Amino acid sequence: MTYLVTGGAGFIGSSVARRLIADGNIVYIIDNLKTGYLDNIPEGAVFINGDFSQDEVIDRLEGRRFDAIFHIGGQSSGEISFEEPEYDLNTNTLSTLKLLKYCVKRGCNRFIYASTMSVYGEDGVKEQFSEDDATNPKSFYAVGKLASEKYMDIFHREFGIDFVSLRYFNVYGVGQNLENLKQGMVSIYLKQFFDKSFKKVEVKGSLDRFRDLIYIDDVTDITITSAHNSRFNNQIINIGTGVKTTVREILDLIKLYTDSKKEIIVTSGTKGDQFGIYANNSKLKSIYKKELTPFNIGLKKMIDWIEEK
Ligand SMILES: NC(=O)c1ccc[n+]([C@@H]2O[C@H](COP(=O)([O-])OP(=O)(O)OC[C@H]3O[C@@H](n4cnc5c(N)ncnc54)[C@H](O)[C@@H]3O)[C@@H](O)[C@H]2O)c1
């Protein structure tokens, strides 16, 4: 099979591309290396270095027909979406529209999209969200992701393109970019605990905030499975563990595993940040039967990886 993986130099995209290649598939990658790294691109992938929201970059695919497109690349920080809203819109939404048009033109019938839990926003009361709950984006990032979901829905109805929208919750694990201090709660804290140039660990926002933390290997397996299992067809699906973990619990576990005594300081939160959200993952569990990695196990793997680097 031949696949296109956008964002294949990034955390999730490179993991998906690596697995696809290991399974004997041909993989094309488009990535502009904005937050990704050349070193992440798996051996054997055909790499197109460029912005996937630009026609001239998509043209470099030379009309190839893909068995599926995994549109995983994107601008993944709510904070940056306020700093660079046009870039966010082009990267997360215009690119989706252009790649869907490519699917129609080139007869590629399956589109897997990296959406986000951020589309739910928050209402101050509800903590656990299911796919049927109302969406209420609080950042430009979330607006763009939600718009992409709507484009996919219309392309399905009008042109028969099958889609899967994976609403990832907080993905963490081995291979995550520790240098990006604007995205990825676990990686941001680990960076500050491990890097000696950080005298203290700064937490932007309350320690009572909470998240649903899902390990990269589970996300990779679910993402690839969703391209083959017809029960994922034309579904929006929460990709979370259904377990609520507070920032305080994350920090306590890191301290326990690293034996660190670093001081933690709490500063004001970032714009558009959700206080707390976790997944109702019944829909995922009804179609994906494998066990998901508990946070303590995944975190330990990540810490071991950092210590070995
Ligand atoms: N990591 C998470 O917890 C999380 C949660 C929810 C949703 N997501 C979504 O999953 C996707 C992957 O996230 P990630 O954690 O791997 O992020 P990442 O930053 O590691 O990877 C994104 C990749 O996309 C590339 N990219 C960005 N803009 C591009 C453009 N215009 N043209 C070409 N390449 C471009 C980057 O260079 C990078 O390699 C993103 O779309 C993100 O919104 C991630």
Side-chain angles (χ1 to χ4, degrees):
M1 302 265 198
T2 305
Y3 297 105
L4 172 63
V5 179
T6 70
F11 173 42
I12 302 172
S14 65
S15 177
V16 168
R18 200 172 307 113
R19 249 285 299 279
L20 288 170
I21 289 175
D23 291 347
N25 299 293
I26 298 168
V27 173
Y28 284 70
I29 286 174
I30 307 181
D31 200 297
N32 65 356
L33 304 178
K34 176 106 171 170
T35 53
Y37 295 93
L38 210 49
D39 282 353
N40 277 348
I41 292 178
E43 213 181 307
V46 181
F47 176 46
I48 296 171
N49 185 346
D51 182 335
F52 45 51
S53 66
Q54 305 291 312
D55 288 325
E56 58 272 24
V57 175
I58 295 177
D59 286 347
R60 285 163 59 195
L61 294 170
E62 295 173 337
R64 219 160 249 101
R65 195 199 147 272
F66 296 102
D67 292 285
I69 291 182
F70 293 88
H71 188 22
I72 296 175
Q75 188 303 102
S76 56
S77 153
E79 198 177 343
I80 289 175
S81 77
F82 285 99
E83 294 165 10
E84 298 179 65
E86 289 87 357
Y87 179 72
D88 181 83
L89 181 66
N90 286 343
T91 291
N92 289 345
T93 315
L94 182 63
S95 63
T96 308
L97 171 60
K98 292 207 165 166
L99 290 167
L100 283 165
K101 281 173 67 182
Y102 183 91
C103 284
V104 175
K105 206 165 157 195
R106 303 296 172 188
C108 152
N109 193 37
R110 201 148 179 83
F111 197 85
I112 318 298
Y113 183 65
S115 187
T116 171
M117 54 128 189
S118 301
V119 298
Y120 294 115
E122 60 193 342
D123 63 7
V125 184
K126 204 172 169 55
E127 296 186 345
Q128 189 178 28
F129 286 81
S130 70
E131 296 82 355
D132 295 332
D133 284 317
T135 50
N136 189 13
K138 291 276 184 277
S139 65
F140 297 134
Y141 165 65
V143 168
K145 289 285 185 181
L146 187 59
S148 279
E149 290 189 352
K150 303 290 181 196
Y151 276 109
M152 288 190 290
D153 188 44
I154 293 175
F155 271 80
H156 170 61
R157 282 187 280 119
E158 296 295 326
F159 305 106
I161 306 294
D162 286 334
F163 72 88
V164 187
S165 185
L166 302 167
R167 286 186 178 164
Y168 295 146
F169 279 63
N170 274 68
V171 188
Y172 72 98
V174 171
Q176 193 161 14
N177 180 1
L178 299 180
E179 304 310 318
N180 184 350
L181 291 174
K182 295 199 170 177
Q183 199 275 330
M185 204 173 242
V186 176
S187 54
I188 292 172
Y189 302 152
L190 282 173
K191 167 74 181 168
Q192 298 183 76
F193 270 108
F194 272 94
D195 189 328
K196 290 191 174 61
S197 66
F198 290 86
K199 299 291 168 237
K200 297 172 181 177
V201 175
E202 181 188 7
V203 175
K204 295 179 182 172
S206 164
L207 299 182
D208 296 324
R209 286 175 303 136
F210 55 87
R211 291 290 184 271
D212 185 326
L213 302 157
I214 180 152
Y215 192 64
I216 182 66
D217 291 355
D218 298 329
V219 167
T220 302
D221 194 57
I222 293 165
T223 302
I224 292 174
T225 303
S226 78
H228 308 297
N229 181 335
S230 61
R231 295 188 67 199
F232 281 84
N233 267 12
N234 307 308
Q235 299 292 325
I236 291 174
I237 304 182
N238 283 347
I239 309 301
T241 58
V243 177
K244 167 179 166 180
T245 306
T246 64
V247 171
R248 184 176 283 103
E249 287 166 338
I250 298 174
L251 297 167
D252 284 349
L253 210 51
I254 295 177
K255 278 171 141 175
L256 180 74
Y257 287 155
T258 60
D259 213 14
S260 172
K261 304 278 179 287
K262 262 193 191 176
E263 186 189 342
I264 291 165
I265 51 163
V266 177
T267 57
S268 56
T270 56
K271 219 178 192 165
D273 193 30
Q274 288 155 294
F275 185 85
I277 177 165
Y278 69 107
N280 175 330
N281 67 355
S282 329
K283 190 169 179 179
L284 174 67
K285 276 165 56 187
S286 71
I287 51 181
Y288 181 84
K289 301 293 179 193
K290 294 185 195 167
E291 287 292 315
L292 299 173
T293 310
F295 180 58
N296 60 332
I297 307 278
L299 180 67
K300 184 75 177 67
K301 283 188 190 175
M302 194 173 176
I303 288 175
D304 289 347
W305 167 69
I306 295 170
E307 283 173 344
E308 279 164 22
K309 277 212 297 174

